[in-house]
């Protein structure tokens, strides 16, 4: 319901002073519009009454050819901007391209805005934008992978697995892209307890990564194997410890190292050795903090909180959950479906 005065003047082909005079009447005589926070050098007004905004939208959409033509003109005005678009305008440009019925622009703008919003941590908005891109004909591996990453962040692992499957049906991609999508797919299947599907994907990835010498990918595969033998239908804590030890030595990724140490600690816990579990879970936290990796630290503290809950150290468990909440608030990690809310 907000608009920039300069863009409005260009859209309706009026002198900008003329537009300001009309806005002044709407503001002072009718109370229908009001100034909003400026964006850079642009003066912004907002339509004060939400019902008026809805009526204007409906009236505009009734005349479809004019509605489409105005959106195309507005999109052209925005593209002629000399300055760079801010994040708000990137998202609004998607809606304008959709209104202009320009599928190519809608795909391009929606995917670019989705990537940006995902990096900012606005996962739900990123998911909505990538869905717009897909609805307007985008069918690339990167689009389906981004949708899967959004679904994972939102905790919808069934939809994430479907998105990964769709990604692998797109034209052949680089090997690294294929590895990353199938790893995400396997992790999503693991979260839905599809153990046969996970094992099939992991066996395929392990064979391929061994052939090409992709140690980091192999470390990811082994880490997921360790999680499966710890959490799957047949628990094998000793095998989990062996796999986690190998992962730690194989990778230089602090998040993966911390995860390996954390799951090693959980394996000792599953083997009724809470003292050893405490040692390795604290080592996982130390590694994450030493490498200044917020998400790895969040995961490591979460593993320790699970141990305290399992051992009925409830006061300490609550302190750790509050620490997880502070970490999430400060760094933005796990902002969409945080573990600490469920565990609390």
């Amino acid at each position: 319901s907000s608009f920039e005065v300069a863009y409005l003047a260009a859209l309706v082909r009026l002198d900008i002073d003329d537009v300001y005079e009309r806005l002044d009447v709407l503001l002072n005589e009718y109370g229908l519009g009001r100034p909003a926070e400026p964006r850079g050098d642009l003066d912004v007004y907002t339509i004060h009454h939400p019902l008026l905004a809805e009526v204007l939208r409906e009236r505009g959409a009734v005349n479809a050819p004019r509605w489409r033509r105005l959106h195309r003109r507005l999109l052209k005005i925005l593209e002629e901007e000399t300055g760079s678009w801010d994040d708000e305008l990137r998202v609004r440009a998607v809606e304008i391209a959709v209104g202009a019925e320009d599928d190519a622009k809608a795909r391009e703008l929606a995917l670019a805005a989705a990537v940006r919003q995902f990096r900012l941590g606005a996962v739900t908005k990123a998911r909505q934008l990538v869905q717009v891109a897909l609805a307007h004909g985008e069918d690339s591996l990167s689009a389906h992978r981004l949708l899967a990453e959004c679904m994972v962040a939102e905790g919808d692992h069934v939809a994430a697995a479907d998105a990964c499957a769709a990604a692998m049906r797109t034209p052949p991609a680089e090997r690294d892209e294929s590895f990353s999508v199938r790893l995400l797919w396997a992790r999503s299947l693991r979260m839905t307890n599809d153990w046969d599907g996970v094992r099939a994907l992991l066996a395929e990835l392990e064979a391929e990564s061994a052939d090409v010498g992709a140690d980091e990918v192999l470390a990811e595969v082994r880490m997921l194997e360790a999680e499966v033998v710890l959490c799957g239908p047949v628990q094998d804590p000793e095998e989990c410890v062996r796999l986690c030890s190998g992962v730690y030595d194989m990778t230089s990724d602090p998040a993966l190292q911390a995860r390996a140490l954390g799951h090693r600690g959980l394996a000792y816990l599953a083997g009724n050795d809470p003292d050893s579990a405490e040692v390795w879970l604290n080592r996982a936290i130390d590694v994450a903090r030493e490498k200044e990796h917020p998400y790895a630290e969040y995961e490591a503290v979460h593993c320790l909180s699970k141990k305290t809950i399992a051992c009925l150290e409830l006061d300490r468990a609550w302190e750790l959950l509050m620490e997880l909440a502070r970490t999430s608030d400060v760094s933005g990690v796990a902002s969409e479906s945080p573990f600490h809310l469920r565990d609390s």
Side-chain angles (χ1 to χ4, degrees):
S1 299
S2 63
F3 54 91
E4 296 79 2
V5 180
Y7 296 158
L8 177 60
L11 181 64
V12 297
R13 298 189 176 120
L14 283 176
D15 183 80
I16 195 165
D17 290 334
D18 231 2
V19 173
Y20 273 114
E21 286 179 12
R22 295 178 184 219
L23 289 174
D24 188 58
V25 172
L26 288 173
L27 174 65
N28 294 318
E29 294 188 23
Y30 299 101
L32 295 176
R34 60 173 54 174
E37 193 70 29
R39 290 181 38 251
D41 297 331
L42 295 168
D43 285 340
V44 180
Y45 273 66
T46 185
I47 298 171
H48 177 47
H49 200 295
L51 182 59
L52 174 60
E54 189 61 32
V55 168
L56 289 172
R57 181 179 294 276
E58 288 177 0
R59 284 183 59 186
V62 166
N63 188 341
R66 184 170 184 271
W67 183 251
R68 181 173 58 250
R69 188 171 65 253
L70 285 171
H71 276 82
R72 287 178 178 173
R73 193 190 306 167
L74 180 54
L75 186 59
K76 186 176 180 182
I77 290 167
L78 295 182
E79 288 175 331
E80 290 171 352
E81 272 289 287
T82 53
S84 60
W85 291 359
D86 61 15
D87 290 317
E88 180 187 338
L89 198 53
R90 288 175 190 275
V91 173
R92 285 174 54 201
V94 175
E95 185 180 3
I96 294 166
V98 170
E101 297 182 13
D102 188 334
D103 287 342
K105 277 290 178 187
R107 290 194 300 270
E108 175 191 342
L109 294 172
L111 193 54
V115 171
R116 174 65 178 162
Q117 291 297 317
F118 189 76
R119 288 174 182 164
L120 292 172
V123 177
T124 300
K125 185 171 284 188
R127 191 238 318 144
Q128 292 168 344
L129 286 163
V130 76
Q131 286 172 331
V132 169
L134 292 167
H136 285 80
E138 180 67 33
D139 191 32
S140 63
L141 182 143
S142 57
H144 289 291
R145 179 178 61 190
L146 180 57
L147 179 60
E149 289 172 341
C150 292
M151 293 299 188
V152 167
E154 291 183 326
D156 189 347
H157 299 286
V158 173
D162 290 342
C164 289
M168 295 308 298
R169 290 194 294 268
T170 59
E174 296 292 329
R175 178 182 282 117
D176 289 349
E177 285 186 312
S178 172
F179 277 154
S180 68
V181 170
R182 283 181 290 169
L183 273 171
L184 187 61
W185 192 359
R187 186 163 291 282
S188 299
L189 293 176
R190 170 252 187 279
M191 297 301 292
T192 62
N193 298 335
D194 183 352
W195 307 112
D196 291 338
V198 175
R199 291 192 188 97
L201 275 172
L202 290 179
E204 181 183 301
L205 286 165
E206 184 163 359
E208 288 185 30
S209 57
D211 287 344
V212 299
D215 288 346
E216 288 295 331
V217 175
L218 188 57
E220 289 266 14
V221 171
R222 294 272 169 81
M223 186 64 245
L224 195 44
E225 287 175 353
E227 294 177 35
V228 171
V229 299
L230 181 63
C231 306
V234 181
Q235 291 188 350
D236 188 345
E238 291 183 5
E239 177 65 6
C240 180
V241 168
R242 185 189 70 79
L243 287 166
C244 288
S245 179
V247 169
Y248 183 84
D249 294 335
M250 191 183 299
T251 183
S252 58
D253 180 355
L256 203 50
Q257 286 183 328
R259 187 178 297 157
L261 293 171
H263 279 78
R264 181 169 182 171
L266 293 177
Y268 283 120
L269 181 64
N272 296 315
D273 186 356
D275 292 337
S276 296
E278 180 80 21
V279 171
W280 289 97
L281 291 169
N282 278 297
R283 278 195 62 187
I285 296 172
D286 291 341
V287 166
R289 286 176 177 167
E290 179 186 331
K291 301 295 177 64
E292 297 182 346
H293 197 296
Y295 190 75
E297 180 181 344
Y298 181 91
E299 279 197 326
V301 174
H302 177 237
C303 286
L304 181 58
S305 75
K306 289 204 286 189
K307 180 262 179 185
T308 59
I309 293 171
C311 295
L312 297 181
E313 303 167 15
L314 299 185
D315 288 340
R316 186 180 176 210
W318 186 251
E319 290 175 4
L320 290 169
L321 291 172
M322 292 302 97
E323 182 180 342
L324 287 171
R326 287 191 296 272
T327 301
S328 182
D329 289 342
V330 171
S331 65
V333 301
S335 57
E336 286 285 335
S337 55
F339 300 134
H340 62 266
L341 285 185
R342 179 197 66 198
D343 291 352
S344 295

